[in-house]
Amino acid sequence: MRILSGIQPSGQLHIGNYFGMMRSMIASQDSSELYAFIVDLHALTSVQDRERLARGTLEAATDFLALGLDPERCLFWVQSDVPEVTELAWILSVLTPMGLLERCHSYKDKVARGVASSHGLFSYPVLMAADILLYQAERVPVGKDQKQHLEVARDIAIKFNNTFGETFVVPEPVIDDNLATIPGLDGQKMSKSYGNTIPIFASEKELKKKVMAIVTDATPVEAAKDPEKCNLFSLYKLFAPADRLAEVHGLYVNGGAMYGKIKLELLDLLQDYFRAAREKRARLLAAPDQVREILGQGAIKVREKASVTLDLVRDRVGLKY
Ligand code: ADP
Ligand code: TRP
């Protein structure tokens, strides 16, 4: 099974990203043919700052490698290193009805949040379709917010196949509706847009500040509390070993749960959980050329595959004369 996933290099990755997407993506390199890439061309629609985009791309790649993505077991590259994708995006764009793009919520939502409206932002879903179709991906794991973009990619693939003959695999979205939404410090969905995140690679000091700032209620220690309604417990649950989790669950239900103590335990658990990744990340940060080399090799491998598809597409549409 060929699985493909693109990640925007915008902002520090947080534990919501990790448990919501990165962990299962990294695990899929063992069971599937994984194509994973950093979508810098997409990020350019909202990050127009040379330094921020370049640093963000390298950092996102570094973080993924540190967390276990293994370039020996998957294909890992940066979107813009494969220029074939923009040519395909153009060809697909002439088959994309305006109405299809006009219906996309994501464009409207981003403009409402202050992202400058531009042709690139509007045609974002066409570039995303090119990302997916270029590599003949079968499965694309995405969050619920990307569901519509996957429908656009499928519509374009079907239209191309009907117009020019069977060419593209029609991709299937993989959307895990049961996937828990990881709450942020304030109990809302953890999101960089809400400023309520716990960054995976926060410094020790910053991590402590974040964990101590997790919002809890003001009930007395002896009072019985519902653990499922407590965002501290939801976060604690992600890291605690089963036997200790059962004990703390008992303290919530029967009274005696001390939030301050649980927070300190959570802090230790967080540090332990990401310790190896943190060490690996420090080594990679000290050797950025090593990361560039990995990405460069990934791009070379994947360009071979991209050029096979693009060659076929050029032929199908009449660009070979
Ligand atoms: P953010 O909300 O911080 O901007 P993104 O929209 O860039 O995060 O999300 C990147 C990926 O991480 C998506 O696949 C998304 O589903 C996942 N993700 C983000 N926040 C959470 C969360 N709080 N819980 C679970 N998954 C999340
Ligand atoms: N639009 C996706 C997001 O914001 C990122 C993305 C770009 C992507 N190209 C992709 C995801 C191809 C999956 C497949 O999260």
Side-chain angles (χ1 to χ4, degrees):
M1 186 62 65
R2 183 172 296 175
I3 296 191
L4 173 140
S5 192
I7 309 97
Q8 294 223 40
S10 44
Q12 275 182 313
L13 292 164
H14 52 74
I15 63 171
N17 298 137
Y18 182 73
F19 288 101
M21 181 264 286
M22 301 170 82
R23 187 174 58 162
S24 64
M25 188 179 123
I26 293 169
S28 68
Q29 69 191 355
D30 297 319
S31 51
S32 314
E33 194 189 350
L34 174 66
Y35 284 56
F37 58 123
I38 312 284
V39 294
D40 57 345
L41 293 170
H42 277 114
L44 197 52
T45 58
S46 57
V47 182
Q48 286 155 11
D49 174 323
R50 177 186 182 280
E51 186 52 33
R52 244 183 82 209
L53 183 63
R55 190 167 18 91
T57 300
L58 195 61
E59 275 182 16
T62 304
D63 290 358
F64 266 92
L65 292 169
L67 288 163
L69 204 64
D70 177 357
E72 302 292 323
R73 280 182 288 164
C74 70
L75 287 153
F76 185 47
W77 74 101
V78 174
Q79 184 187 32
S80 67
D81 283 336
V82 183
E84 285 78 2
V85 77
T86 52
E87 182 175 339
L88 180 61
W90 175 260
I91 296 171
L92 299 181
S93 79
V94 304
L95 287 178
T96 310
M98 285 297 283
L100 191 62
L101 299 180
E102 277 161 0
R103 283 196 292 278
C104 287
H105 316 296
S106 168
Y107 171 75
K108 290 177 248 180
D109 293 349
K110 284 181 182 166
V111 173
R113 279 195 277 119
V115 178
S117 114
S118 67
H119 173 254
L121 190 66
F122 185 70
S123 58
Y124 183 112
V126 183
L127 180 60
M128 180 159 161
D131 278 336
I132 298 168
L133 304 185
L134 185 59
Y135 306 107
Q136 306 283 20
E138 294 163 278
R139 294 278 156 86
V140 184
V142 283
K144 287 174 217 156
D145 59 323
Q146 297 296 316
K147 190 170 178 217
Q148 200 179 26
H149 288 164
L150 250 295
E151 278 157 17
V152 171
R154 287 173 58 84
D155 283 359
I156 296 177
I158 292 168
K159 184 148 181 211
F160 190 101
N161 289 348
N162 288 339
T163 311
F164 296 110
E166 254 346 274
T167 306
F168 291 122
V169 170
V170 180
E172 295 286 341
V174 184
I175 297 166
D176 187 348
D177 287 322
N178 298 320
L179 199 75
T181 298
I182 310 298
L185 303 180
D186 56 359
Q188 286 192 83
K189 172 189 181 255
M190 185 178 291
S191 168
K192 60 180 174 292
S193 335
Y194 303 147
N196 63 355
T197 70
I198 301 180
I200 301 172
F201 295 117
S203 68
E204 211 167 305
K205 199 170 149 206
E206 190 191 355
L207 200 59
K208 179 157 190 197
K209 210 169 130 202
K210 296 278 183 187
V211 170
M212 290 332 240
I214 294 172
V215 177
T216 45
D217 63 22
T219 48
V221 172
E222 319 74 60
K225 310 169 180 67
D226 181 353
E228 303 311 324
K229 293 208 174 105
C230 174
N231 58 314
L232 173 59
F233 188 79
S234 307
L235 291 167
Y236 181 78
K237 199 161 71 172
L238 297 169
F239 301 96
D243 49 349
R244 179 64 186 146
L245 184 65
E247 266 173 38
V248 172
H249 189 274
L251 292 173
Y252 268 85
V253 176
N254 304 315
M258 291 194 270
Y259 293 140
K261 192 160 172 276
I262 297 169
K263 284 182 182 180
L264 288 174
E265 253 183 68
L266 173 61
L267 182 61
D268 281 343
L269 288 166
L270 263 164
Q271 266 155 352
D272 285 347
Y273 193 92
F274 292 114
R275 180 159 294 139
R278 188 184 298 278
E279 286 165 7
K280 179 150 190 213
R281 181 171 181 266
R283 288 197 297 278
L284 291 169
L285 282 178
D289 282 343
Q290 198 182 326
V291 177
R292 290 191 185 96
E293 172 68 19
I294 290 171
L295 295 169
Q297 289 301 326
I300 290 171
K301 281 190 237 164
V302 93
R303 272 192 89 178
E304 280 174 28
K305 297 176 192 284
S307 64
V308 172
T309 312
L310 192 61
D311 203 49
L312 178 63
V313 169
R314 288 170 133 258
D315 190 30
R316 287 276 150 90
V317 301
L319 293 172
K320 279 197 177 174
Y321 53 87

